[in-house]
Amino acid sequence: MNIKSRFSLVLFLLTIAYSYGQKVVLTSPNQKIAVALFDSQNANSGNWYLQVNYGNKDKHDEIILKIDLGIVRNDQTFSKDLKLKKISKCVLIKEQYTALHGKKAQRSNTANEMVLHFENEPKSLLNVILRVYNDGIAFSYEFPEKKGTYTISDELTA
């Protein structure tokens, strides 16, 4: 991707950020996939969702319009009225592994990773670990407080 195309992508994403209350954008190492975090109340708390965009040269497409975030434990809910407390800086992840099947045994993954730190009304913490690869995205939920045993009663990711 040349400098003009990258500049266009960054400008496009910044335009979205200011017009729709976007909080953060994480892009793939090759800059083609971008995942943006939004709050439906356009504040720093509320219901959160991700949007996935794909940029190729001067064309940018929304490939997943809305991925709602949320999870319910047996003791409390992490979906409504979540406050975004902190966003960790982007970290480049490089992984090497051996595939069990396929033509090539030694494989590698490269992704950009960011951790989104949330807090619910009772002040319990939830982290969303977001990774954007050159060919896809992944995210997971983490409860950083290591006390107690919990059961996930519902996942509200949609």
Side-chain angles (χ1 to χ4, degrees):
M1 179 181 278
N2 63 32
I3 291 177
K4 186 177 179 180
S5 296
R6 284 186 185 180
F7 178 75
S8 297
L9 177 63
V10 170
L11 186 61
F12 169 75
L13 294 173
L14 286 175
T15 302
I16 291 173
Y18 289 110
S19 60
Y20 294 106
Q22 181 177 328
K23 301 301 178 193
V24 67
V25 176
L26 183 63
T27 59
S28 60
N30 68 2
Q31 305 291 310
K32 289 187 177 185
I33 298 175
V35 178
L37 174 70
F38 290 90
D39 176 18
S40 59
Q41 281 86 17
N42 200 13
N44 229 23
S45 67
N47 300 339
W48 295 88
Y49 65 94
L50 300 172
Q51 183 181 75
V52 183
N53 295 297
Y54 181 80
N56 193 2
K57 296 185 182 174
D58 294 328
K59 185 178 180 187
H60 307 282
D61 296 315
E62 293 174 348
I63 54 176
I64 302 176
L65 299 177
K66 189 175 184 184
I67 302 171
D68 291 320
L69 297 176
I71 197 160
V72 179
R73 290 192 326 206
N74 61 328
D75 63 332
Q76 53 191 304
T77 300
F78 294 87
S79 63
K80 297 179 180 177
D81 299 321
L82 285 177
K83 287 185 181 175
L84 181 61
K85 300 299 283 181
K86 184 173 100 173
I87 300 169
S88 69
K89 68 179 188 175
C90 178
V91 175
L92 180 65
I93 304 294
K94 291 185 177 184
E95 300 172 322
Q96 303 292 323
Y97 65 96
T98 302
L100 298 176
H101 303 286
K103 294 180 180 181
K104 195 172 163 186
Q106 295 303 312
R107 309 294 273 165
S108 65
N109 270 333
T110 304
N112 286 326
E113 179 182 275
M114 183 179 288
V115 180
L116 310 168
H117 304 268
F118 292 99
E119 179 181 83
N120 68 0
E121 279 293 313
K123 306 269 187 230
S124 294
L125 303 176
L126 170 72
N127 293 340
V128 176
I129 302 165
L130 178 62
R131 283 190 180 183
V132 183
Y133 298 87
N134 289 337
D135 57 357
I137 71 162
F139 66 92
S140 61
Y141 297 110
E142 174 188 58
F143 299 108
E145 299 168 321
K146 304 296 182 198
K147 302 175 219 155
T149 302
Y150 307 107
T151 303
I152 303 301
S153 55
D154 198 8
E155 184 176 353
L156 305 173
T157 307

